[in-house]
Amino acid sequence: MKIKEIVAILDAEIVCGDSNMDDEITCGFASDLMSDVLTLDTDKMVLVTGLANMQTIRTVEMADINCIVFVRNKKVTPEMLALAKEEGVVVLQCRYSMYNAVGKLFTAGLSPVY
């Protein structure tokens, strides 16, 4: 699934990374616990989270994740945005709950990590 499809499915706002909308995403993971995210070893994954702070951006940087969806109308701070741009991370925001966002992505065919 391409990132632009995730944007459409979730009616998401593209915060940064709009030049990467054709990047392919093969699976998704949802968590507010960044320690859980760091245990994963997968490529081309989207992280769905409601944890909107610098720790999230630093975690995806360390885990080589190139796309984050912030749910529940969580907003990215200017500091988070600057770091995400520096690291080339696509950042999306949507109004859905984590449960609803993950359900929509799963129904559209995006596989879970496990």
Side-chain angles (χ1 to χ4, degrees):
M1 173 180 294
K2 295 186 184 294
I3 293 175
K4 65 183 176 187
E5 295 174 89
I6 293 172
V7 171
I9 292 164
L10 298 179
D11 192 26
E13 174 189 352
I14 303 165
V15 179
C16 73
D18 54 350
S19 63
N20 299 87
M21 292 298 107
D22 286 324
D23 288 0
E24 193 70 29
I25 299 295
T26 58
C27 59
F29 187 75
S31 181
D32 286 345
L33 294 174
M34 294 302 109
S35 57
D36 285 352
V37 176
L38 288 172
T39 65
L40 304 173
D41 184 22
T42 184
D43 293 329
K44 300 181 181 181
M45 182 183 87
V46 61
L47 172 64
V48 179
T49 186
L51 184 67
N53 64 30
M54 289 295 285
Q55 181 188 8
T56 305
I57 306 297
R58 295 195 192 287
T59 299
V60 298
E61 172 193 3
M62 292 172 52
D64 290 327
I65 297 168
N66 66 340
C67 184
I68 309 170
V69 177
F70 289 103
V71 294
R72 302 189 304 262
N73 281 323
K74 297 293 182 172
K75 300 298 179 195
V76 176
T77 66
E79 295 81 17
M80 293 168 63
L81 180 58
L83 183 58
K85 284 181 177 177
E86 183 180 311
E87 297 301 326
V89 176
V90 175
V91 177
L92 309 173
Q93 296 174 164
C94 78
R95 61 185 158 89
Y96 295 116
S97 68
M98 185 182 298
Y99 184 83
N100 199 349
V102 169
K104 287 179 178 288
L105 293 174
F106 182 79
T107 300
L110 185 64
S111 299
V113 170
Y114 56 87

